[in-house]
Amino acid sequence: MRSSNRSRGRDIRAAMRREIARAGASVGYQDPELAPFECFSLCMSCGYLSAPSSLESTSDPMRGVEASERGPQRCMACGEHGLADLRHTPTVYSLGELEEDERPPSRGSRAAKIFVLSTLGVGLLAYMVRFVDGALSQTPIFEGVGPELTLSLIAPVLLPVVLMLGWVVHQARNLGSTARTTPRRWRLARGFGQRLRRPEQLERGVARETGELLRAPISGQPCLAYEVAICEEDLEYPAAMPGSDAWRLVEQDNVAFQVGEQRIPRGEALLRIPRSLAKVIPLDRRSPQLSRFLRMRGLLESDQLRAFEIVVLPGQRYAVGQNPDEPAQLFAA
């Protein structure tokens, strides 16, 4: 059932991309059911959030102004057409329904499934080996047959079982993975989603601002950089889940600052700080500013959500490194 929901979701997303590309503009410009402030545009191919022009020059992630006319857009991350205008409330509700259908199974249910399949696979493998060995030993034509021929005879029968056991091992190894993959909505430094190498040389030092500070979207704390990761409230800690479906939103931003002698330009830091160090914030009570922040990114007031927020503060020690043609990567010192 889960796989059929995912397949249906992919088909609907593909249809939405085709319709948006055919129209040559973002959905919802002429629709009266619009949010009263400007919102992001969501790429239906990769999930990148394209900022409205009013946000490009501000350091305040809460800010939004009245919408102005915009023409056809192409995703800045993947280059595809098909940007859904998140001002359009029916579109946001449709996306929410898709995400509900495509929600990943919990870590516990996946572990139970792996246990059942591995038990069945091992049992079936043992039974088939004993059955084939007994059948061959009772057949006169196979008397004295060497183990190599016996293996070649039973290999076609055992191959599906071996493949299933290989899949079970792969799933079990990934059960505790903390690798970050592309979430449903994301807004991060260029290069996110690629296989970035950890820089060989890191400079450690105290972070210092070179201008104004940001305000963290959830806590409102002044900071040099922030990461906000939002998931469904009833999901287990999604950093332990492989795959992108655990995160409804991952967003990072930074002002220009420096660590030691290394300067990091505005919006060019990729935070690699473990989410286990994040502050976990239930979003059951929302200020008007927080509700606007979420709505601008296509998350509704009715959504039951939980946020993980990381802030980079002036005066704290961090490690930073950068490979050629990649964003600066910031680590906990």
Side-chain angles (χ1 to χ4, degrees):
M1 183 68 176
R2 180 77 60 182
S3 61
S4 64
N5 284 339
R6 290 174 181 270
S7 178
R8 183 171 69 89
R10 286 194 295 270
D11 292 341
I12 295 175
R13 288 175 185 275
M16 291 179 71
R17 287 199 302 270
R18 290 195 297 269
E19 178 61 23
I20 294 169
R22 183 190 65 78
S26 295
V27 171
Y29 290 139
Q30 307 302 321
D31 198 294
E33 297 184 278
L34 302 178
F37 42 79
E38 205 165 8
C39 297
F40 288 80
S41 295
L42 176 68
C43 177
M44 297 299 297
S45 294
C46 72
Y48 178 73
L49 288 169
S50 297
S53 58
S54 61
L55 295 185
E56 293 295 346
S57 60
T58 179
S59 61
D60 187 350
M62 301 287 190
R63 182 179 172 186
V65 299
E66 297 302 321
S68 58
E69 290 296 326
R70 291 172 288 178
Q73 298 183 64
R74 184 185 292 269
C75 177
M76 295 174 59
C78 69
E80 293 289 332
H81 286 293
L83 302 187
D85 186 357
L86 297 181
R87 288 191 70 218
H88 188 224
T89 302
T91 297
V92 174
Y93 275 108
S94 297
L95 290 170
E97 292 175 0
L98 282 177
E99 291 169 1
E100 180 66 24
D101 288 342
E102 297 171 348
R103 284 182 59 187
S106 68
R107 189 168 184 260
S109 64
R110 291 191 303 113
K113 182 178 179 181
I114 290 173
F115 174 77
V116 171
L117 288 176
S118 60
T119 302
L120 289 175
V122 171
L124 183 60
L125 180 63
Y127 172 79
M128 293 180 69
V129 169
R130 291 187 61 185
F131 175 80
V132 173
D133 183 63
L136 292 178
S137 63
Q138 297 177 15
T139 304
I141 192 174
F142 291 110
E143 290 183 0
V145 170
E148 294 82 3
L149 181 58
T150 302
L151 182 62
S152 66
L153 291 172
I154 67 174
V157 183
L158 297 181
L159 182 60
V161 180
V162 173
L163 290 177
M164 184 181 73
L165 290 176
W167 178 86
V168 168
V169 171
H170 174 72
Q171 293 294 316
R173 289 182 62 185
N174 287 338
L175 189 62
S177 171
T178 58
R180 300 185 183 191
T181 54
T182 304
R184 298 175 184 274
R185 299 166 180 81
W186 60 277
R187 185 168 175 253
L188 299 101
R190 58 184 176 84
F192 173 76
Q194 304 173 5
R195 290 186 174 273
L196 300 180
R197 296 174 294 107
R198 181 184 175 95
E200 295 182 359
Q201 295 185 349
L202 297 178
E203 179 169 349
R204 291 173 170 80
V206 175
R208 302 192 304 273
E209 69 270 28
T210 59
E212 63 176 333
L213 297 177
L214 284 169
R215 280 196 303 132
I218 309 298
S219 65
Q221 185 174 8
C223 60
L224 299 170
Y226 69 81
E227 178 187 83
V228 171
I230 294 178
C231 67
E232 299 287 347
E233 187 177 41
D234 58 345
L235 286 181
E236 300 173 25
Y237 181 42
M241 298 181 186
S244 62
D245 291 346
W247 299 108
R248 295 285 297 278
L249 168 71
V250 175
E251 179 176 51
Q252 295 181 2
D253 198 6
N254 68 279
V255 294
F257 69 102
Q258 64 184 75
V259 174
E261 299 301 321
Q262 181 161 344
R263 294 180 176 271
I264 303 173
R266 172 81 165 88
E268 292 293 321
L270 188 62
L271 274 60
R272 295 292 193 180
I273 300 173
R275 291 200 184 116
S276 58
L277 302 179
K279 181 179 181 181
V280 183
I281 307 172
L283 300 181
D284 50 349
R285 297 180 180 179
R286 305 177 188 176
S287 65
Q289 293 82 4
L290 179 55
S291 295
R292 171 178 283 205
F293 172 85
L294 296 174
R295 177 61 186 84
M296 288 172 65
R297 289 146 180 85
L299 299 173
L300 295 168
E301 187 73 26
S302 58
D303 292 338
Q304 301 299 310
L305 304 172
R306 182 170 35 157
F308 297 77
E309 185 179 77
I310 294 173
V311 292
V312 175
L313 301 175
Q316 301 292 323
R317 291 187 60 84
Y318 299 94
V320 63
Q322 187 171 12
N323 296 318
D325 300 322
E326 292 182 358
Q329 300 181 49
L330 190 72
F331 302 87

